[in-house]
Structure formats: C-alpha cells, structure tokens
Amino acid sequence: MVHYGHSNQLRQAKAMGDYLIAGVHTDAEISKHKGPPVFTQEERYKMVRAIKWVDEIVEGAPYVTTLETLDKHNCDFCVHGDDITLTVDGKDTYEEVKRAGRYRECRRTQGVSTTDLVGRMLLMTKAHHSNIDNPDYQQHTDNFGKGPKGHSPWTGVSQFLQTSQKIIQFASGKEPQPGDTIIYVAGAFDLFHIGHVDFLEMVYKQAERPYVIVGLHFDQEVNRYKGKNYPIMNIHERTLSVLACRYVSEVVIGAPYAVGKDLLDHFKVDLVCHGKTEVFPDKDESDPYAEPKRRGIFRAIDSGNNLTTDDIVQRIIENRLQFEARNQKKEAKEMAVIEAMKKRDQLDSNGPKHCT
C-alpha cells in the first residue's frame, strides 16, 4: 500500500538533502520478497509521484539497494525507516550501502503500517477507531501478525496519535494569493488511493493557478453515508493522507456535509467540484451541493478512474489468506533478526577483555 507513514518517511528524507528520488519496486519483486501488493505497480508509481516531497521516481527499482543503484541515479546516500527490510532469504537489503557509509535513517511513523491497515479491512468492524482496547481487534492482530516467538516491533500494531506538529509538518502553510482560483472539494478520502489522486489532479487542472481546499468529513458523518465499518482510517489519518498530495493546498478538518453559504463565503470559493461517485443526501434529504449549484459554481469531474475504497477492501478480502501468510512470514523473519542481534550484543558484552 501507499499510506501517510510512507509520506512521512519521504518528508523526512527530503529534509536530509536537496533532491529526492524514490525507487518503487515492481509487483514481481514485492511478491517474491514480501507477498502480494495491494496496489499494482502502475498505481504505485502514480501515487508516489503525487507525494509532494518526491522530485522524481525510479520505476522498477531493485529490491536490494546497491552502490551501483545509487551511482546510477547520482545519489549521495539512501534513506530508509528505522524498521528493517529483509530479502526472501532473511538478508538486510541495505547491507552494502550501510557498510559504505551511504545510508541514513528516518523515524518510522508510529501507529500505521500496511499490516495494520490490511488488518482493519479484513476485520470489517467499527472496532478499529478504538482498536487497542478491543478484544476482537487484539485477537485479530495477534493472529494476523504473529511469528513463532513473540511480536516484532516493526510488524505489530500500535495506535496513531495525531499532534499539531505533525499537521504543521505536512501542511503547505501557503495562503491563497490574488489571482488564485479557489477550488473546494469534499468527501471521506478514506484509504487515500489512486482514484483520489486522479480526481485531485483533474481538479487541479481546472484552473491556471489553482488553490485546492479539501473538506474532510468527520468519522461519524462518513459512517452515516457509507455504512459498514467505514471509514477505515480516522479523521487524523485521512488529514495527513490528503495533505501529503501535491495537488492539495489546504484541508478543512471536519467539514460540514452540506457545502453551504458560510463555507463558500469564508473561503471565497470560486469553484466546487465533485467526482462521479454517488452524492448521498444530507440528513434532511436535501442536496449537499444545492448552494454551489444555485451560484453556478458547481462542476462534475470525470477523472476516468472508477476505483473506490470499496474496491480496495475487496482486493484485500479476495487475497485474505495470502495477506495473512505474508504478515506471519514477515514477522517470523524479523523476529529471527532480532534474536540474532541480541545474541551478537551478548557476545560483544561477554567477549574477551584485554588489559594493557
């Protein structure tokens, strides 16, 4: 998957240098080393390109990063999170560049992982919004990411805690300038995916100088019109997901469902857009876009991409057994590395002491 945890790593990596190249693996490479990918390689290429800290991407990047790879793309060093990535036979994929001193590390985002998001989709209950204390969810995550010897700190599940600092780091901080066209769109933007990226790119292209504001509905509102256990991601997670997109200038956290006079006047909105997905009526059965339509500033946008969050969940459910096996294997490999590291540390501390 591509989620805000990845965006946060890319943000940190960009801050370490001047120009950021992101290498994206093929489906075949991921399937070989980790298990089936959720998004196709073409979808992932496009999604990573849309992350605002990325200057360039390398399609089909090798799973093991070598010095040859770095030199080929004129990179001084490479960056990875502080979790470990292993090949299918349990080797550290960054061993060579670490030895050469051309490796740097950024902090992993606590409380989000592909494992956790896949787990939420497979569980299909409302429990994930307070997942830590829920026994069903806990049992599920135990089954889902369990190696033979306890839990890996990298594959395990923890709760994401939003802070104002994190929002500031992700936000553009830019206010609309005279001559900008202020465009407003609203929705859940749950499990931020390529369908959302294509839609926002098309919205961005509606003006010469676009300033795109995304209104995000609160979790309860999303659940009212989407039902089931939606949203999969809570409002804090969806905020970061959308802010990481290069086509977005600002986010309204907990936007009103009806796009009314107050909102349009407050943000001086020039254009309101909506995609081809169904527009659910408001609680009183009224059209939430009645006011922008009355003003003649409403525009329906066809991005040419029909992918929905439902489709993503369906992909997960269809591959359920493969994903569960993937996570169990991944954690078993990580636990083996942790055990080896512990043994090495013990040997170092118990090794021969030389006196002079």
Side-chain angles (χ1 to χ4, degrees), residues 66-75 102:
T66 60
L67 293 170
E68 186 189 351
T69 307
L70 295 188
D71 292 341
K72 182 181 174 185
H73 299 289
N74 299 316
C75 294
R102 289 172 69 183

Side-chain angles (χ1 to χ4, degrees), residues 138-278:
Q138 208 51 61
Q139 157 112 42
H140 174 75
T141 54
D142 285 351
N143 294 340
F144 194 64
K146 191 153 190 137
K149 295 179 182 168
H151 283 293
S152 160
W154 303 307
T155 300
V157 176
S158 61
Q159 201 152 25
F160 171 69
L161 300 171
Q162 182 71 286
T163 61
S164 56
Q165 184 59 32
K166 188 60 67 208
I167 293 175
I168 289 165
Q169 287 169 342
F170 271 60
S172 73
K174 295 191 186 109
E175 296 198 348
Q177 300 303 307
D180 286 357
T181 300
I182 298 170
I183 309 173
Y184 181 78
V185 301
F189 292 88
D190 194 13
L191 287 179
F192 196 74
H193 55 70
I194 189 65
H196 298 132
V197 168
D198 283 344
F199 167 66
L200 289 168
E201 184 180 10
M202 196 62 89
V203 167
Y204 188 83
K205 287 176 176 172
Q206 297 302 304
E208 194 73 39
R209 288 177 48 188
Y211 186 92
V212 179
I213 302 173
V214 176
L216 288 178
H217 302 139
F218 277 132
D219 299 340
Q220 299 89 323
E221 191 72 75
V222 175
N223 191 253
R224 176 185 70 79
Y225 62 83
K226 292 270 286 180
K228 296 182 190 166
N229 72 327
Y230 293 111
I232 304 286
M233 282 182 162
N234 68 37
I235 184 74
H236 303 306
E237 298 178 299
R238 292 184 285 120
T239 297
L240 295 188
S241 302
V242 174
L243 280 174
C245 180
R246 66 171 69 250
Y247 306 117
V248 175
S249 302
E250 181 63 289
V251 167
V252 181
I253 303 168
Y257 189 67
V259 183
K261 180 180 181 305
D262 289 350
L263 183 141
L264 295 174
D265 292 347
H266 178 82
F267 291 109
K268 299 181 172 58
V269 174
D270 298 302
L271 184 63
V272 175
C273 296
H274 191 275
K276 290 295 183 184
T277 52
E278 184 183 353

Side-chain angles (χ1 to χ4, degrees), residues 273-294:
C273 296
H274 191 275
K276 290 295 183 184
T277 52
E278 184 183 353
V279 176
F280 296 94
D282 205 348
K283 293 187 190 78
D284 60 0
E285 297 302 310
S286 64
D287 177 1
Y289 290 98
E291 180 62 20
K293 284 175 182 174
R294 190 187 67 73

Side-chain angles (χ1 to χ4, degrees), residues 101-115:
R102 289 172 69 183
Y103 174 85
R104 294 195 193 172
E105 217 160 67
C106 60
R107 289 183 61 194
R108 192 174 165 276
T109 308
Q110 281 298 307
V112 65
S113 64
T114 300
T115 307

Side-chain angles (χ1 to χ4, degrees), residues 346-354:
Q346 281 168 355
L347 283 173
D348 288 347
S349 59
N350 299 332
K353 307 275 190 294
H354 298 288

Side-chain angles (χ1 to χ4, degrees), residues 50-68:
I51 295 170
K52 63 186 178 186
W53 297 286
V54 174
D55 294 300
E56 186 185 325
I57 79 157
V58 172
E59 298 184 2
Y63 197 75
V64 175
T65 303
T66 60
L67 293 170
E68 186 189 351

